[in-house]
Amino acid sequence: PLQILTYLDGVTKVEETELKPRVGFLYPVLTHNISVLINATRERDSGQYMCTVNVVDDVTSTGKNIGVINLTVLVPPAAPACRLRGDPAVGANVTLSCASEKGK
């Protein structure tokens, strides 16, 4: 696991990853429940994310301070590329195929 976003002693820190310009807290940390956002999601952002909250001197939250979410970013298919195999003559066999390189 890679730690991407932290809040400690009033300071928010975002690690140098491709998420840095797109990730943050939705609201100021001490004013609302903690909500994390990822802007301009991409297919490669799909994966498992874990949120851990550590409160100084709080021993009662052990094991209850971790949230895990699986994120799947859906991507519309790209325009298909179509191919013709064989000789398009009367009585000949041909194979038509179409495939899209991207999409989820």
Side-chain angles (χ1 to χ4, degrees):
L2 174 66
Q3 187 169 345
I4 298 170
L5 180 64
T6 59
Y7 177 86
L8 182 63
D9 293 331
V11 178
T12 299
K13 182 179 176 185
V14 183
E15 295 300 319
E16 291 292 334
T17 67
E18 76 171 57
L19 284 172
K20 184 171 185 170
R22 302 183 293 121
V23 70
F25 294 109
L26 185 59
Y27 305 108
V29 173
L30 298 179
T31 63
H32 290 78
N33 288 337
I34 302 299
S35 295
V36 176
L37 63 88
I38 301 174
N39 285 320
T41 54
R42 304 171 185 159
E43 185 176 6
R44 64 181 169 264
D45 293 335
S46 295
Q48 189 173 74
Y49 291 81
M50 180 177 5
C51 179
T52 305
V53 177
N54 296 316
V55 179
V56 177
D57 297 329
D58 186 4
V59 294
T60 62
S61 67
T62 305
K64 299 178 183 176
N65 61 343
I66 298 174
V68 177
I69 188 167
N70 289 308
L71 175 67
T72 302
V73 179
L74 301 178
V75 178
C82 298
R83 293 185 303 180
L84 166 73
R85 285 188 186 167
D87 182 20
V90 174
N93 292 327
V94 295
T95 302
L96 302 174
S97 63
C98 290
S100 178
E101 288 189 26
K102 291 184 178 181
K104 189 172 192 178

